[in-house]
């Protein structure tokens, strides 16, 4: 059996009665705008035959009882879950909750009603090939990422995933809050890390062969200040704000990712960072793009980058003292790598 939803959208006054838990006195009414999906007499009969379970303890905001739905009651020609997936318990939310609590988060119940791992695995297996990109607009506990990684481990696939989610705050006084999580997306990321570690332990042959890494991004405004103003819009006291058009709280990686997006480059490309002449240099996809956003770059550093003959190179405008320094930059690349597209931001 599985837990059945005891409420319905329609009903009447005889379907809105109070149900009291005899174990602890907890009283339940149907949720606002809904009704019990049974009459009082039917419910009383279910209690007698054991179709109703009263909980020993009731969490705040929780229901004090469970109504069982048996396997025999699920069998119906109108029940599409039978024809497509059968009635395997792995597709039930209760199983998903138990898996997430016991197998992933070591006994801590962090998430309510996660998507069943087996269900998502079959959806992905039936609807994609081994090189597909799977997009989940409502990441939640990151079941989709877990499912994709597991399928790749099982059949040697190269599927990739993109998960999107809001930075929704976890409930106060919840197990997630007590465990140190502030937002749902933090749980999503931790689920991916733990699932990847578990899969590698269960499938040691995937270690070094399958990519279990991921990158996490958040949507934000541009890294650049809006300096496209007419002279009458400037105030003398604020003129120095326009000297550096990059926002103060932005890092070199922030700039790099915006440049990659503006050039149409995938954010999943490999990025290697090294320090040359005390400056941070980023190499994207083995020379597809080389970037340095530090001030005070030496001519030797610029020559070193140019001699690598990257497809693209990008630098920060503030790194150059004057126009002649920018002209020198262009000349260095003209001498060593004339095919490189050079951009100064």
């Amino acid at each position: 059996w599985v837990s059945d939803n005891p409420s319905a959208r329609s009903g009447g006054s005889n379907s809105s009665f109070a149900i009291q838990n005899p174990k602890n006195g907890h009283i339940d009414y149907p949720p606002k705008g809904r009704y019990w999906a049974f009459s009082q007499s039917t419910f009383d009969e279910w209690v007698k035959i054991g179709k109703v379970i009263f909980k020993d303890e009731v969490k705040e905001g929780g229901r004090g009882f469970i109504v069982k739905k048996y396997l025999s009651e699920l069998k119906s020609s109108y029940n599409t879950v039978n024809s497509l997936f059968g009635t395997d318990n792995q597709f039930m939310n209760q199983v998903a909750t138990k898996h997430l609590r016991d197998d992933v988060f070591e006994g801590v119940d962090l998430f309510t009603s996660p998507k069943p791992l087996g269900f998502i695995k079959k959806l992905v297996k039936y609807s994609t090939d081994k090189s597909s990109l799977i997009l989940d607009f409502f990441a939640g506990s990151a079941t989709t990422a877990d499912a994709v990684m597991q399928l790749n481990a099982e059949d040697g696939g190269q599927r990739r995933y993109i998960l999107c989610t809001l930075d929704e705050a976890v409930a106060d006084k919840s197990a997630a809050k007590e465990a140190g999580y502030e937002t749902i997306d933090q749980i999503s990321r931790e689920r991916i890390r733990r699932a990847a570690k578990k899969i590698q332990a269960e499938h040691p042959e995937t270690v070094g062969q399958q990519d279990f890494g991921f990158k996490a991004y958040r949507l934000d405004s541009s890294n650049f200040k809006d300096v496209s103003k007419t002279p009458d819009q400037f105030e003398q006291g604020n003129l120095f704000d326009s000297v550096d058009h990059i926002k103060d709280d932005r890092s070199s990686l922030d700039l790099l990712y915006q440049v990659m997006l503006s050039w149409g480059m995938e954010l999943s490309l490999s990025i290697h960072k090294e320090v040359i002449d005390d400056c941070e240099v980023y190499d994207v996809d083995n020379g597809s793009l080389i970037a340095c956003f530090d001030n005070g770059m030496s001519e030797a550093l610029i020559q070193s980058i140019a001699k690598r003959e990257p497809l693209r190179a990008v630098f920060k405008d503030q790194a150059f003292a004057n126009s002649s320094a920018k002209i020198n930059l262009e000349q260095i690349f003209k001498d060593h790598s004339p095919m490189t597209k050079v951009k100064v931001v």
Side-chain angles (χ1 to χ4, degrees):
W1 62 269
V2 295
S3 177
D4 195 17
N5 185 356
S7 67
R9 293 183 180 179
S10 59
S13 57
N14 64 335
S15 300
S16 299
F17 53 90
I19 295 177
Q20 185 172 22
N21 185 323
K23 295 182 177 180
N24 48 43
H26 179 86
I27 297 177
D28 285 298
Y29 288 94
K32 187 177 180 180
R34 295 177 69 86
Y35 306 86
W36 294 132
F38 40 74
S39 64
Q40 177 75 70
S41 59
T42 298
F43 183 79
D44 292 341
E45 180 61 27
W46 286 353
V47 172
K48 291 179 182 178
I49 64 175
K51 190 176 169 69
V52 175
I53 298 175
F54 288 104
K55 299 178 181 178
D56 293 324
E57 295 182 6
V58 183
K59 294 182 180 180
E60 183 178 351
R63 190 183 300 119
F65 67 94
I66 294 172
V67 175
K68 297 179 181 180
K69 189 162 191 174
Y70 295 104
L71 180 64
S72 59
E73 296 176 293
L74 289 173
K75 293 179 178 178
S76 164
S77 59
Y78 301 103
N79 193 333
T80 56
V81 74
N82 285 320
S83 59
L84 183 57
F85 297 112
T87 53
D88 195 320
N89 280 343
Q90 66 174 313
F91 303 133
M92 304 305 174
N93 283 104
Q94 295 94 324
V95 174
T97 300
K98 185 177 186 301
H99 167 72
L100 195 63
R101 180 187 65 233
D102 299 341
D103 299 336
V104 180
F105 285 105
E106 300 174 350
V108 182
D109 203 353
L110 296 180
F111 212 90
T112 58
S113 300
K115 293 186 284 289
L117 180 62
F119 179 70
I120 301 301
K121 277 180 65 177
K122 274 207 171 178
L123 282 180
V124 173
K125 184 176 181 178
Y126 286 165
S127 60
T128 70
D129 57 40
K130 292 184 180 181
S131 60
S132 290
L133 176 62
I134 292 87
L135 175 61
D136 186 343
F137 276 109
F138 197 78
S141 66
T143 303
T144 297
D146 195 344
V148 170
M149 291 189 296
Q150 287 210 26
L151 274 178
N152 285 342
E154 292 170 6
D155 63 15
Q158 298 294 321
R159 302 172 187 84
R160 297 181 296 161
Y161 60 83
I162 297 176
L163 307 185
C164 307
T165 189
L166 296 174
D167 53 348
E168 179 184 350
V170 301
D172 290 332
K173 299 180 181 179
S174 63
K177 189 82 169 182
E178 293 176 1
Y181 298 98
E182 298 294 332
T183 55
I184 297 297
D185 59 289
Q186 292 177 356
I187 300 175
S188 306
R189 292 195 292 272
E190 185 61 20
R191 162 77 176 278
I192 298 173
R193 296 185 190 99
R194 292 180 179 233
K197 185 177 180 179
K198 186 173 185 292
I199 293 169
Q200 291 177 85
E202 295 173 348
H203 298 271
E205 72 279 3
T206 64
V207 178
Q209 303 298 319
Q210 182 176 328
D211 186 0
F212 290 95
F214 69 95
K215 296 179 181 179
Y217 300 93
R218 64 180 177 86
L219 188 63
D220 208 329
S221 59
S222 170
N223 295 303
F224 304 107
K225 301 174 185 176
D226 182 11
V227 294
S228 56
K229 300 178 181 178
T230 58
D232 61 304
Q233 292 177 305
F234 286 97
E235 297 180 7
Q236 185 172 358
N238 298 329
L239 285 176
F240 285 107
D241 291 340
S242 301
V243 173
D244 188 352
H245 64 293
I246 298 174
K247 295 177 180 177
D248 295 335
D249 61 342
R250 304 306 165 93
S251 68
S252 294
L253 272 178
D254 293 330
L255 296 174
L256 178 62
Y257 287 131
Q258 182 161 348
V259 169
M260 289 174 64
L261 288 172
S262 68
W263 254 322
M265 303 177 72
E266 291 188 7
L267 296 181
S268 57
L269 293 173
S270 63
I271 299 175
H272 174 70
K273 184 181 80 170
E274 59 183 306
V275 177
I276 304 176
D277 286 348
D278 296 325
C279 292
E280 292 182 346
V281 177
Y282 295 92
D283 185 340
V284 180
D285 193 34
N286 296 317
S288 293
L289 165 66
I290 294 181
C292 181
F293 300 107
D294 286 351
N295 295 329
M297 293 182 302
S298 65
E299 183 174 320
L301 171 58
I302 296 174
Q303 288 184 355
S304 173
I305 294 174
K307 288 177 180 179
R308 298 186 187 187
E309 299 182 352
L311 294 177
R312 310 170 185 86
V314 62
F315 306 93
K316 189 170 70 171
D317 185 71
Q318 286 297 104
F320 303 95
N322 47 48
S323 297
S324 61
K326 293 181 184 178
I327 293 173
N328 188 43
L329 169 73
E330 295 174 2
Q331 187 60 48
I332 290 173
F333 273 90
K334 186 179 294 185
D335 292 341
H336 296 288
S337 184
M339 300 302 293
T340 298
K341 295 180 180 179
V342 181
K343 178 183 288 189
V344 176
V345 298

